[in-house]
Amino acid sequence: MPGFRNLAGGVAAAAAWWLVSCRDIPTPPDGVQSISALVLASPGVVAGDTLRDSLGFAAPLSLIAYDVGGLPLDPQPVPSFVVIDTGARLADGRFIIGETPGTTVRVVGTVSSLQTLPVPFKVTLAPDTLVAADSTLHHRDYDLADGDSVLASANLNVIVQHLGTTPSGVEAVLVKYVIEKAPPAKPDQGPIVVLTNGNVPSSRDTTDNTGRAFRAARLRVAAMNTFTTDTVIVSANASYRGVTLGAVQFIIIYRNQ
């Protein structure tokens, strides 16, 4: 059966090639097989300041190097970083210092012969305050007869500002939303109110180039313990260098028609 012998020979050859290929995977002399993406503690840095984390501490650039087995190396090799655009610089090789507000700057990291993709960040003015962008009182009516089980509020909009001669919005600031009060839910129903970005659950937003951030509150009507008028309270807050910029409280009144 020549066809069978040819097939068997092909399978054997393929198996031998696979075994040789597995044995031929080289181990780099320094042990670094791959690296992670570059990690930034924040999407923005203030001009004249260093990049900081959510608690306000100066945060160095970092990445993770992995061995041939996909495990983090221990100890980790020391990476190097390069800022490839004007508008910011490096201090001590790992700390980004903002220089020119209004610019977008990219940085790359290198370990051994491997380099990350460029990661962009914004250089901004210092954020001074957080204020409501429009109304903080919202009304939402519902009718149990229409079959809707989920009601979304209007966007809960805030603006982070730099208070110069003319206040201006500050981009790339993290804003956190928290549900302070929600209606009572039926037993075993889970959360009755969820913060969202569209249809995606999310309680944080990063300000856009106008300084604006938003989230919405979605109420699960079917999970409510009583179908009357009820209130949801959501707060939004942001900080810089560990100091709160302010807090905005939104009140959403849901009414059964």
Side-chain angles (χ1 to χ4, degrees), residues 207-232:
T207 55
D208 63 15
N209 59 359
T210 68
R212 182 181 295 259
F214 71 90
R215 285 297 178 257
R218 297 183 70 185
L219 174 70
R220 297 171 53 234
V221 176
M224 292 178 64
N225 194 33
T226 57
F227 299 108
T228 57
T229 299
D230 222 320
T231 301
V232 171

Side-chain angles (χ1 to χ4, degrees), residues 143-161:
D143 185 351
L144 294 177
D146 64 15
D148 287 342
S149 60
V150 176
L151 287 174
S153 72
N155 288 338
L156 310 177
N157 297 305
V158 297
I159 294 180
V160 175
Q161 293 180 323

Side-chain angles (χ1 to χ4, degrees), residues 80-161:
S80 61
F81 302 97
V82 176
V83 173
I84 59 177
D85 300 296
T86 59
R89 61 181 174 85
L90 285 177
D92 298 328
R94 299 187 71 175
F95 292 88
I96 292 176
I97 305 295
E99 293 188 317
T100 308
T103 57
T104 299
V105 180
R106 296 167 297 164
V107 61
V108 297
T110 302
V111 172
S112 184
S113 60
L114 303 177
Q115 181 175 289
T116 67
L117 293 173
V119 177
F121 61 91
K122 303 291 184 178
V123 182
T124 72
L125 296 170
D128 296 317
T129 186
L130 178 144
V131 296
D134 41 47
S135 177
T136 59
L137 177 62
H138 300 262
H139 293 87
R140 190 74 163 86
D141 294 336
Y142 65 92
D143 185 351
L144 294 177
D146 64 15
D148 287 342
S149 60
V150 176
L151 287 174
S153 72
N155 288 338
L156 310 177
N157 297 305
V158 297
I159 294 180
V160 175
Q161 293 180 323

Side-chain angles (χ1 to χ4, degrees), residues 163-232:
L163 299 178
T165 304
T166 301
S168 60
V170 181
E171 189 174 3
V173 177
L174 179 66
V175 178
K176 303 175 183 178
Y177 287 78
V178 178
I179 299 169
E180 303 286 357
K181 180 182 182 296
K186 295 176 182 177
D188 304 321
Q189 287 295 312
I192 191 171
V193 179
V194 179
L195 295 169
T196 64
N197 176 22
N199 292 323
V200 179
S202 174
S203 61
R204 298 185 177 195
D205 193 16
T206 302
T207 55
D208 63 15
N209 59 359
T210 68
R212 182 181 295 259
F214 71 90
R215 285 297 178 257
R218 297 183 70 185
L219 174 70
R220 297 171 53 234
V221 176
M224 292 178 64
N225 194 33
T226 57
F227 299 108
T228 57
T229 299
D230 222 320
T231 301
V232 171

Side-chain angles (χ1 to χ4, degrees), residues 7-84:
L7 177 60
V11 172
W17 174 87
W18 182 82
L19 290 172
V20 170
S21 297
C22 288
R23 287 197 298 269
D24 287 347
I25 294 176
T27 300
D30 56 9
V32 180
Q33 181 68 27
S34 62
I35 59 175
S36 70
L38 191 150
V39 179
L40 288 175
S42 171
V45 59
V46 171
D49 196 7
T50 186
L51 188 75
R52 296 180 179 275
D53 62 20
S54 60
L55 298 178
F57 297 109
L61 297 169
S62 64
L63 57 82
I64 302 172
Y66 299 93
D67 62 20
V68 291
L71 298 176
L73 288 167
D74 187 14
Q76 283 281 305
V78 178
S80 61
F81 302 97
V82 176
V83 173
I84 59 177

